[in-house]
Amino acid sequence: MGAPARIAAIYAALGCAWIAWSDAAIGAIGLTSKQMVIAGTVKGWAFVALTTAVLYRLVRGLVRDAQAMAAEAQREHAEKLKAANLLSTIAETSTDAIFAKDAAGRYLLMNRQALRMVGRSADEVIGRDDRDLFPPAEAEQIMAEDRTILDSGSVRTFEERVTTAGGAMALLTTKGPIPGEDGRPIGVFGITRDISQRVAAEQALRERNEQLAQSNADLEQFAYVASHDLREPLRMVSGYVAMLERRYGQSLDEEAHEFIGFAREGAQRLDRMVLDLLEFSRVGRMSEPFAPVPLAEVVETARLNLSAVLAESRGNLVVATGLPVVQGARGELVRLLQNLIGNALKYRHADRPPVVAVSCRAEGGNWQVSVADNGIGIGPQYFDKIFHIFQRLHTRERYDGTGIGLAICRRIVKHHGGQIWLDSVPGEGSVFHFTLPRAD
Ligand code: ADP
């Protein structure tokens, strides 16, 4: 019920109640006709006073409500205005381009950044469509996106290539529908970010990666071919040196024999280096496909292959129980463990028999395998160097080797998606750790 109807109803109810009550009261008292006239006058005035008081309170309440509502509406309007002003300030100062178009594709609005991007003034774009701003093929593409938004009524993001006054640009644009009063789209709004630099950087990175992959492949191919082909002339050198010794050995003096010995040794050493190089180049290229491999079996094969060195050094290989099954190339994993255990035996301390411990623990999504020894140890300044090809810390006379074993280890670990590193205290021992991704 509206306020006027409420007042009328209250007035009518009061009147009726008053008449009924006062008539009954006067009747009950039993007045004379003169007294009745006076009572009627009093009754009338009392009714006026009563209704005036009630109506005054009612109207005052209504007026207050109306004033409060008007004040609230004004406050809301002011807040909306403030928010709209704020939004328009943000839109104008935004480094992203913001625009709105009607359903026919005509621009209704472009913020400062959008105008800067297309290199036009507001007068030149408002009321125009994309065909006036971009080359035909690009405009078609942009308008097709708009149609998708209008048809689907959803928000989507597009990567666009456009040519503006400033040149070719890569843009990332999020577009959405502008809803009409009935909720159906009556236009499209969009927010565009210039991603030209990012796209150029990604492209450069992709190209560099491709070049790197190509040069890696070339290098691997080179190492493989070179080590293959180098062995042939090397065999010839060894063969002729041996023939020289056989045929003319008796007529040569002791010094000549010594020289021949050096030549043979050099050839043998070069052959070993070439073979190691060949093996290095084979990791990842020639390996068997990955399959589940029990690590305990890998360590046992390595132990078998190293049994002579183990016996000769009176070494002790301690293998933890419960080694996991890992995903990998069995041959490469054997080579990895064999190189690490072999080094632990080779670089043993002169004062004590070697003890080598192989263990494994779960570490995040990886297995971390550790090979610990009680050997001569390595200074921290060499922790990186020793993983590089042909890098050694000792002379050949002291410890035999070509300096490629750990480089092969690192390549194998990388091929399996892991990492290799070490902890060591010179004079006390080293622990080589490597990770392998867990298959489960
Ligand atoms: P090589 O053993 O043929 O020299 P590696 O690549 O296997 O080649 O090792 C590189 C160098 O790292 C070795 O010359 C040695 O100085 C050092 N090294 C490797 N393993 C150990 C170890 N367990 N203890 C001490 N030094 C080691």
Side-chain angles (χ1 to χ4, degrees), residues 313-373:
S313 63
R314 287 186 296 119
N316 187 10
L317 175 60
V318 187
V319 184
T321 53
L323 291 185
V325 174
V326 298
Q327 192 72 11
R330 182 184 284 262
E332 286 188 359
L333 293 176
V334 168
R335 180 74 213 214
L336 169 64
L337 263 304
Q338 193 174 312
N339 278 3
L340 294 178
I341 300 169
N343 276 352
L345 297 173
K346 179 165 42 162
Y347 299 103
R348 61 182 175 269
H349 203 283
D351 300 345
R352 51 190 180 249
V355 178
V356 188
V358 179
S359 59
C360 179
R361 67 189 168 103
E363 186 69 53
N366 292 321
W367 291 116
Q368 183 178 312
V369 184
S370 303
V371 179
D373 66 49

Side-chain angles (χ1 to χ4, degrees), residues 343 346-347 373 378 386 391-394 401-403 405-406 430:
N343 276 352
K346 179 165 42 162
Y347 299 103
D373 66 49
I378 302 165
I386 54 170
Q391 295 298 322
R392 314 199 64 228
L393 305 182
H394 308 281
T402 56
L406 287 179
S430 314

Side-chain angles (χ1 to χ4, degrees), residues 194-430:
D194 179 0
I195 54 163
S196 307
Q197 278 186 351
R198 198 191 81 192
V199 168
E202 280 170 3
Q203 175 65 18
L205 196 68
R206 233 187 333 268
E207 279 168 15
R208 262 205 301 278
N209 277 347
E210 275 165 21
Q211 281 168 3
L212 209 65
Q214 184 57 45
S215 77
N216 263 351
D218 290 349
L219 260 175
E220 278 172 12
Q221 181 68 10
F222 167 77
Y224 179 71
V225 171
S227 42
H228 231 239
D229 295 356
L230 278 175
R231 293 199 73 204
E232 181 47 40
L234 206 54
R235 260 197 296 275
M236 222 164 97
V237 172
S238 307
Y240 278 103
V241 167
M243 204 191 294
L244 206 63
E245 197 171 29
R246 256 197 327 273
R247 280 227 194 132
Y248 307 103
Q250 278 125 354
S251 56
L252 294 174
D253 64 7
E254 203 177 313
E255 203 177 25
H257 275 292
E258 204 183 340
F259 290 164
I260 287 175
F262 288 152
R264 193 192 311 114
E265 222 176 87
Q268 277 167 358
R269 192 171 150 62
L270 194 55
D271 193 46
R272 263 190 62 191
M273 286 173 89
V274 165
L275 277 176
D276 282 351
L277 205 58
L278 189 65
E279 183 158 347
F280 179 80
S281 76
R282 273 190 170 140
V283 176
R285 274 165 35 96
M286 305 277 197
S287 50
E288 71 260 63
F290 280 18
V293 184
L295 217 50
E297 284 180 24
V298 169
V299 180
E300 279 321 301
T301 311
R303 183 204 291 275
L304 212 67
N305 295 347
L306 291 166
S307 51
V309 197
L310 263 167
E312 175 246 319
S313 63
R314 287 186 296 119
N316 187 10
L317 175 60
V318 187
V319 184
T321 53
L323 291 185
V325 174
V326 298
Q327 192 72 11
R330 182 184 284 262
E332 286 188 359
L333 293 176
V334 168
R335 180 74 213 214
L336 169 64
L337 263 304
Q338 193 174 312
N339 278 3
L340 294 178
I341 300 169
N343 276 352
L345 297 173
K346 179 165 42 162
Y347 299 103
R348 61 182 175 269
H349 203 283
D351 300 345
R352 51 190 180 249
V355 178
V356 188
V358 179
S359 59
C360 179
R361 67 189 168 103
E363 186 69 53
N366 292 321
W367 291 116
Q368 183 178 312
V369 184
S370 303
V371 179
D373 66 49
N374 60 345
I376 58 172
I378 302 165
Q381 67 273 33
Y382 303 118
F383 282 8
D384 181 53
K385 179 180 169 173
I386 54 170
F387 289 104
H388 292 274
I389 199 162
F390 296 139
Q391 295 298 322
R392 314 199 64 228
L393 305 182
H394 308 281
T395 59
R396 204 159 18 98
E397 285 69 38
R398 189 115 193 255
Y399 296 99
D400 188 30
T402 56
I404 209 170
L406 287 179
I408 291 178
C409 288
R410 187 167 71 165
R411 228 168 127 82
I412 293 173
V413 171
K414 286 224 164 128
H415 180 221
H416 284 74
Q419 305 233 339
I420 185 165
W421 72 101
L422 74 144
D423 297 318
S424 185
V425 179
E428 288 186 18
S430 314

